[in-house]
Amino acid sequence: MKNNDIITKLKKSNLLGKGGANFPTSLKWEMVKNAEAEKKYIVCNGSEGEPNVFKDGFILENYPEEVIEGIKIALATINNSSAYIYLRKDYYEKYKNKLEELIGNLPITLFKKTGHYIAGEETSILEAIEGKRPEPRIKPPFPPQSGLWNYPTLINNVETFYYVSKINKDEYQNTRFYSINGAVKNEGVYELPENYSISQILKETNNWPDFSFFVQAGGGAIGEILLPNELKQQVGGSGAIIIFNRQKTNPFALMKKWTDFLLQGNCDKCVPCREGIFRLAEIIKREINNPNKHSLDKFFKAHKQTLQDLFFVLEQTSFCALGKCAVVPFRSLIKKLK
Amino acid sequence: MKIIINNKKIEAKKGQTILEVAQKNKIDIPSLCFHSDLDIKSNCRLCVVEIKGKDGLHTACSTMIEQGMKIITESKKIHKARKINLELIFAQHCEECNDCIWNFNCQLLKLAKKYNVEITRFTDRKKGYPVHQFGPSLIFDSSKCIDCRNCIDVCQKQGVGFLEIKERGHLFQVIPSQDKNKDCIYCGQCITHCPVGAFEAVGEFEDVEKPLQDKSKTVIFQFAPAIKTSIGEEFNLPHGSIVTEQLVAGIKKLGVDKVFDVSVAADFATVEEAKELIERLETNKNLPMFTSCCPSWVKFVEFYYPEFIPHLTSVRSPQIILGGLIKTFWAEKENIDPEKITVVSVMPCVAKKYEIQREELNMDGLKPVDYVLTTRELAYLFTKHKIDLKNITPKKPDNPLGVPSGAGVIYGASGGVMESALRTAYEKITGQNLKKLEFQQVRGMDGIKKATVEFHPVKCEAIFAKQKLFHRVKGLLIKTAVVNGIGNAKKILEELKENPKAYDFVEVMACFGGCIGGGGQPVPTDSKIRKQRAKSLYQIDAGKKIRSAHENPVIKKVYENFLNSKKKIHSICHTKHLNI
Ligand code: SF4
Ligand code: SF4
Ligand code: FES
């Protein structure tokens, strides 16, 4: 295989990173390949930490050969490189043996994830592998310029490496993996065209609800809340679609689930995210414990200034994308369901 | 590079951050978690600015300038973001303000005013967080901490790493290490690098009056060289203002009986160190010799590198020597019972509070020094007594322990001890006067300074003919290393493990820039400020007639009349170091 072939193919395929940031894969590969350095690293991100997202686990379970093949292609494309597969703890336990068998004597090391959700963010992974507290780094420099131990580093998600191997074999058909769950009949992971709309996906998988519902699209913590009439769009983020029964869902409990996750999952490095999420959680918890139940509307009106202020600094001043995106579900839920 | 900040054209250098350029051009951007000594962490999110053509807000401390960048540092949006983030920060820091090292200079309160901050908008999240004490030197009240982690970084930079992050539920907390192999060395850099006063010296400020309270005692104050050019800052004088005589006048106003200058004792220390260095060179034993006037450095060696203990000079630190002389020489002369004397040191340092508790320094059970006040504490005491150093008639320190040589003054800056010792050692070894007293190579703010000093060949031959150190053509070559910022000392010690002959004489000061950057100094302290303070010390030295310790007539007299036996010299000027 010639080095440049795969990058040309990636370019043609228009493959976008499947970790949530949608960065063109070919560009990343090219940057790392062309970077001047005596050593380079490749990291396969299998940290999948957001609730209701489990497609990377599905791929590791069903197509580990393709994933390793994808990494192998990267190793061959990028000179003097070695690789890490960064796995969340349960994936590590579950797939360690299988993966090691496939790795054989390739320069690929399995790394068990430390810390919380943030440790899925690219530069936090680098910190974790370097043995530090997983926290995002200041960017620039970006990992392709200076990553693991300051060497140029290619970080791609499990799903991306899977598709690299498909593209290499000319078997890529512009699909992606969707985790569908919540109040659905046919929960699961589906590989479908990436330009499908949410409603198409739900119909095709026979999951279109026959009750009044709403959707959280992207991921189960920072995905946006969508109403049935908004499902003409594609899924962003990590490709999860979660269905909620509108009558049976307590919005406060749902928001609490998010804040619980975010409290645990953020790194607490920066003021708006650490303190902002803490205060958001505080308000929501107080509401849940309040004996006089409020409607979402009343709740919002009662805390309007504080909520808006917290959303503002989270979105505008957070250090990394987690804090910036954390407002999306709350804001959309309050706006749409009140 | 040209950029535009608030519609003003500004010339800047590539590779600078927006914050750097703004600070250089006196454009105010709040920057709580930024300290020029430390890596950029960018976690307080107060320095946000707007950049034309780029969405959203950007932190000035972490954003590099680009050609033609147009930056706005104040707008409605920026104001709002700073206000809310400040409110969130205050929710970790709901404290009483009267007992804080930042008392009149608190950045948080200034910002609160500027941004209409509702200080108590959120309830105190850190209520009940613990207070830790580190030995006799520091207090860390973690309920004041705003999680910026400057302290952790600076302690790491010091090569100690005593401060750590501990996960606490879903949040974290800064705590002292529980690891038995780590211990605080009391350098106090965490105090001067914490933007919100979560650290302070033990007794700061509640105990400042204590030394003055026992009316039955004669109270003597002695002040360290580094105070002379720093305490003025607490009275809004420019950085580096020389206020020696105002300082003396201020102390006198407190009702103190005598005020002596620790720089005089530095001269004794220099003479003793020069003697010891010559002795070690002659016997070729325990080289390199290490200075020992910094108690943090001594503790660092004792705790982390005990195998190097024999290298520490046995000479006591200047404050201890002077305290000893006051309670012996001076007490005898004045016919005062030494038990009835209180000696108070004013020090730029919190480790000195630890040093005076070291029992091996006692002289027949008598402590040479009874209290240590930091520069900040003395300034606080002055303020309490309505003493303003800006408006005071200067007074000279008292005789006879009030007139130092220039060498004694530069002790306060990194390289000063080395330079003083070299001035004296040179003349003692070669019997000739130095043509040029300044040893520029050991001056300045670099963390490690190395210099090989040549001693005149002719005179050296007689003494050092047997030694390998002696070089027939060049004379005696003394290889020196001068270190400030104790993290750098690790590098030298590791080097010495590999190559024990790498140096003959090593000076280490734990704090950045030496004592002028000490943990007891006024805040803020940063590299620029340290430079100013050091420059003024060298200026005092340059203006003195007598610039070498051994030429100081006071010293000569005391050696003649009092320190005239080995035993006496030993009990007042020397000590031993411990394996702890
Ligand atoms: S104690 Fe001070 S320096 Fe340390 S993290 Fe807290 S606020 Fe920052
Ligand atoms: S005094 Fe020095 S060694 Fe001790 S915790 Fe503070 S920075 Fe670390
Ligand atoms: S100074 Fe820039 S984020 Fe704190």
Side-chain angles (χ1 to χ4, degrees), chain A residues 310-329:
Chain A
L310 293 178
F311 292 165
F312 177 78
V313 285
L314 271 165
E315 189 167 42
Q316 295 289 333
T317 72
S318 286
F319 187 96
C320 81
L322 177 60
K324 290 194 157 101
C325 300
V327 303
V328 169

Side-chain angles (χ1 to χ4, degrees), chain B residues 140 145-151 174 193-196 198-199:
Chain B
F140 168 35
C145 166
I146 59 155
D147 293 343
C148 77
R149 304 195 218 161
N150 278 4
C151 57
V174 179
H193 287 75
C194 175
V196 298
F199 286 86

Side-chain angles (χ1 to χ4, degrees), chain A residues 6-70:
Chain A
I6 182 67
I7 290 181
T8 316
K9 280 182 175 178
L10 287 174
K11 227 177 251 171
K12 256 198 211 132
S13 74
N14 258 334
L15 182 68
L16 301 180
K18 298 297 180 217
N22 282 333
F23 193 81
T25 306
S26 59
L27 225 69
K28 250 195 202 178
W29 282 53
E30 216 164 29
M31 280 163 78
V32 181
K33 183 178 181 306
N34 295 338
E36 303 253 350
E38 58 187 89
K39 249 207 292 206
K40 293 170 189 180
Y41 287 103
I42 294 159
V43 176
C44 169
N45 179 4
S47 66
E48 195 158 64
E50 207 184 337
N52 308 78
V53 183
F54 35 78
K55 46 107 186 163
D56 287 341
F58 177 88
I59 296 168
L60 288 169
E61 169 85 39
N62 296 291
Y63 311 109
E65 296 83 1
E66 273 84 350
V67 177
I68 298 295
E69 180 60 26

Side-chain angles (χ1 to χ4, degrees), chain B residues 190-480:
Chain B
C190 47
I191 301 180
T192 52
H193 287 75
C194 175
V196 298
F199 286 86
E200 61 183 22
V202 170
E204 188 167 7
F205 294 101
E206 59 278 12
D207 294 340
V208 286
E209 298 273 8
K210 254 194 190 162
L212 301 173
Q213 271 155 359
D214 188 346
K215 298 287 176 221
S216 70
K217 297 219 168 154
T218 306
V219 181
I220 317 279
F221 268 52
Q222 51 170 353
F223 57 89
I227 317 289
K228 300 176 188 186
T229 61
S230 69
I231 195 168
E233 291 165 25
E234 298 276 36
F235 299 87
N236 290 324
L237 288 163
H239 299 295
S241 301
I242 301 171
V243 292
T244 318
E245 296 185 357
Q246 288 85 333
L247 167 64
V248 175
I251 298 174
K252 284 275 166 89
K253 267 205 169 168
L254 294 169
V256 167
D257 299 289
K258 295 280 173 198
V259 183
F260 294 136
D261 187 339
V262 176
S263 298
V264 175
D267 284 340
F268 285 102
T270 298
V271 170
E272 289 303 315
E273 267 175 48
K275 277 202 267 181
E276 194 174 335
L277 178 67
I278 294 170
E279 211 177 282
R280 292 194 189 198
L281 288 169
E282 278 173 345
T283 55
N284 203 4
K285 262 206 197 117
N286 293 329
L287 289 170
M289 183 169 94
F290 295 167
T291 59
S292 72
C293 36
C294 168
S296 287
W297 159 237
V298 170
K299 175 154 185 198
F300 186 80
V301 173
E302 287 173 332
F303 189 84
Y304 292 100
Y305 290 89
E307 67 271 32
F308 282 105
I309 290 174
H311 293 264
L312 289 164
T313 138
S314 64
V315 179
R316 297 180 165 207
S317 80
Q319 74 148 345
I320 303 294
I321 293 180
L322 196 61
L325 283 172
I326 291 169
K327 291 195 181 179
T328 55
F329 162 73
W330 187 79
E332 230 175 272
K333 201 170 115 320
E334 301 287 313
N335 205 5
I336 303 177
D337 176 4
E339 303 269 356
K340 287 255 167 312
I341 298 176
T342 302
V343 174
V344 185
S345 298
V346 186
M347 295 277 128
C349 175
V350 293
K352 293 280 171 191
K353 292 194 185 231
Y354 151 77
E355 184 181 47
I356 61 166
Q357 300 209 353
R358 294 183 61 130
E359 283 182 0
E360 74 278 8
L361 295 174
N362 292 357
M363 309 169 306
D364 294 330
L366 201 63
K367 288 173 75 177
V369 177
D370 300 284
Y371 295 94
V372 165
L373 295 180
T374 62
T375 319
R376 293 187 301 268
E377 284 175 306
L378 182 65
Y380 179 80
L381 193 57
F382 283 163
T383 315
K384 246 182 110 187
H385 288 253
K386 307 214 161 35
I387 298 167
D388 182 357
L389 292 197
K390 265 201 310 295
N391 296 305
I392 199 162
T393 319
K395 278 204 170 118
K396 291 205 181 326
D398 287 294
N399 278 323
L401 303 171
V403 192
S405 75
V409 176
I410 59 174
Y411 255 60
S414 164
V417 178
M418 178 64 73
E419 183 165 340
S420 303
L422 290 175
R423 287 181 191 175
T424 293
Y426 186 90
E427 302 196 2
K428 293 236 152 160
I429 292 175
T430 65
Q432 295 182 334
N433 289 339
L434 266 173
K435 292 226 170 54
K436 189 169 181 288
L437 285 171
E438 294 83 6
F439 287 85
Q440 291 295 348
Q441 320 91 293
V442 300
R443 296 187 178 185
M445 295 292 138
D446 291 344
I448 298 179
K449 293 164 278 185
K450 299 180 183 178
T452 301
V453 183
E454 303 176 12
F455 281 25
H456 192 279
V458 183
K459 264 287 181 174
C460 295
E461 189 161 7
I463 312 177
F464 294 109
K466 291 189 297 269
Q467 304 301 330
K468 294 236 164 35
L469 297 158
F470 178 71
H471 190 285
R472 209 149 272 288
V473 188
K474 288 186 178 155
L476 180 66
L477 295 181
I478 298 208
K479 288 169 285 173
T480 67

Side-chain angles (χ1 to χ4, degrees), chain B residues 31-34 42-45 47 59 61:
Chain B
S31 53
L32 210 54
C33 71
F34 173 82
S42 199
N43 59 31
C44 76
R45 315 308 281 174
C47 65
T59 41
C61 67

